[in-house]
Amino acid sequence: MEQPNRNLALDLVRVTEAAALASARWLGKGQRKAGDQAGVDAMRFVFNSLDIKGTVIIGEGEKDKAPMLFNGEQVGKGIGPEVDVAVDPVEGTNLLALGRPNAISVVGIAPKGSMYNPGPSYYMKKLVVPEEAKDVIDLDAPVEDTLKKVARALGKDVDDLVVFVLDKPRHVTLIENIRKAGARIQLHTDGDVAGSLMAVDPISEVDIMMGTGGTPEGVLSACAIKALGGQMLCKLDPQKEKEKQALIEQGYNLNRIFTVDDLITSDDVFFAATGISGGTFLAGVKYTGDGAITHSLVIRGKTGTVRRIQAYHKWDKLMKISGIKYD
């Protein structure tokens, strides 16, 4: 019998809580980069208190010149396990700036060398389903066929299904096909990671996530999807000629279909997410005057354990030891 070892996800939740507490101050203020910067600074500060040797493989922000923990950045104290790191201090920066739901802070880590590096890829086509449907899906199958198979695997009718889709011009035909098949749709302006998590979360009303979204968000999502036993099929889907040519020049196969096991090759994966603006997935930060309340999801891949944590933060005590000014 293997002895239990340290659950790094319980350290990671401190990182996402810090980013959420800092960035939530910018809720609805229309200052997208300021909110993102607050999350980045808080996340970096707390990350560097952890006993890990971390290398950022997925650092969101590069494609839109936003603040970021950059790809290749070293995080942690430099002692302890060597890990690959995927971060998004504020997933849904537009949601935060506009005061809309489902902005979250997310982190995933896996042993060094086990996390897929997407290089210059910004976008990928994705199909995400829970464990019950993981063996019946085909990324290239017609939408109607996919929905029928997923519905059957879940013991539902097609018109029972709820499909998460990003509300983007590129999805006009996809949305038409889903409606023609009879399934219901949740349209979201942003929130790629949250959508993937909803599709594999047993208490969410979302059954499946479809469409093209961010490649970095896909790898980050894969940490949680793998841990929860779900499946994501995806392939690189460049949206601009410059992105396509960069991928071809660097030898990426645009026809390859990836699974979660291709994106994260180890089962020893950890994931944490904390709600920022609240919504259908995770409740947001609630400031109480003398502190705040946060809501987080914490997952350990090796055991499949999922924890939902409601934390109460007290400014008078926290500010005595924290280098981040939350209040």
Side-chain angles (χ1 to χ4, degrees):
M1 181 178 295
E2 185 175 341
Q3 290 293 321
N5 52 20
R6 187 173 184 178
N7 184 352
L8 292 175
L10 296 175
D11 290 326
L12 292 187
V13 75
R14 292 173 45 224
V15 175
T16 56
E17 284 175 349
L21 286 169
S23 60
R25 288 293 187 189
W26 296 92
L27 178 69
K29 294 184 177 180
Q31 299 185 51
R32 179 174 173 273
K33 288 191 176 181
D36 204 10
Q37 186 71 66
V40 167
D41 292 344
M43 180 170 279
R44 179 181 284 115
F45 184 86
V46 179
F47 238 132
N48 287 331
S49 71
L50 304 187
D51 291 336
I52 60 171
K53 299 177 184 177
T55 301
V56 175
I57 304 298
I58 302 297
E60 177 60 9
E62 186 174 347
K63 68 175 180 285
D64 50 7
K65 309 303 181 184
M68 63 184 293
L69 281 98
F70 59 86
N71 296 352
E73 181 173 348
Q74 303 300 301
V75 294
K77 287 183 177 179
I79 57 176
E82 294 186 79
V83 293
D84 291 342
V85 179
V87 301
D88 200 340
V90 181
E91 203 258 336
T93 51
N94 288 325
L95 300 177
L96 173 62
L98 298 173
R100 293 174 178 165
N102 293 326
I104 59 176
S105 178
V106 287
V107 171
I109 63 173
K112 183 179 179 180
S114 64
M115 188 176 290
Y116 176 72
N117 189 335
S121 174
Y122 296 146
Y123 292 95
M124 58 167 43
K125 181 182 178 182
K126 308 172 193 176
L127 174 59
V128 184
V129 296
E131 185 172 13
E132 297 86 344
K134 68 179 183 180
D135 295 324
V136 303
I137 55 174
D138 177 350
L139 187 63
D140 294 327
V143 170
E144 182 179 7
D145 291 352
T146 296
L147 295 176
K148 284 180 179 178
K149 289 180 179 179
V150 171
R152 190 179 304 118
L154 299 180
K156 298 182 177 185
D157 295 326
V158 172
D159 60 2
D160 294 331
L161 296 179
V162 174
V163 186
F164 180 105
V165 182
L166 290 176
D167 191 7
K168 306 291 185 183
R170 61 180 177 265
H171 290 149
V172 170
T173 300
L174 172 63
I175 292 167
E176 288 177 355
N177 289 335
I178 294 171
R179 288 172 174 164
K180 191 178 298 182
R184 299 175 295 154
I185 301 175
Q186 275 193 16
L187 288 175
H188 293 255
T189 57
D190 299 275
D192 209 345
V193 175
S196 295
L197 295 177
M198 289 181 202
V200 295
D201 184 352
I203 69 172
S204 167
E205 65 268 34
V206 171
D207 299 292
I208 181 170
M209 185 252 201
M210 305 179 81
T212 293
T215 306
E217 290 88 345
V219 179
L220 181 47
S221 300
C223 296
I225 296 167
K226 186 180 179 85
L228 290 170
Q231 182 59 281
M232 174 170 62
L233 300 182
C234 51
K235 65 179 177 181
L236 306 182
D237 187 18
Q239 297 299 294
K240 294 183 178 179
E241 188 62 28
K242 182 179 179 181
E243 179 186 356
K244 181 178 180 179
Q245 288 304 315
L247 288 166
I248 292 172
E249 289 171 6
Q250 293 190 30
Y252 284 82
N253 181 356
L254 301 186
N255 295 314
R256 179 184 176 184
I257 294 179
F258 297 86
T259 68
V260 288
D261 291 332
D262 295 318
L263 299 181
I264 306 293
T265 60
S266 171
D267 290 328
D268 197 17
V269 62
F270 302 90
F271 179 87
T274 300
I276 301 174
S277 63
T280 54
F281 179 55
L282 283 170
V285 175
K286 180 180 179 180
Y287 296 108
T288 62
D290 61 351
I293 303 171
T294 56
H295 301 81
S296 302
L297 179 72
V298 181
I299 307 171
R300 184 182 187 185
K302 208 166 190 179
T303 62
T305 302
V306 179
R307 291 179 171 88
R308 296 179 187 275
I309 298 174
Q310 181 170 295
Y312 295 78
H313 310 268
K314 302 291 288 183
W315 297 150
D316 59 344
K317 294 188 175 183
L318 186 57
M319 289 297 93
K320 290 179 181 179
I321 61 171
S322 176
I324 307 167
K325 186 173 173 57
Y326 294 117
D327 62 350

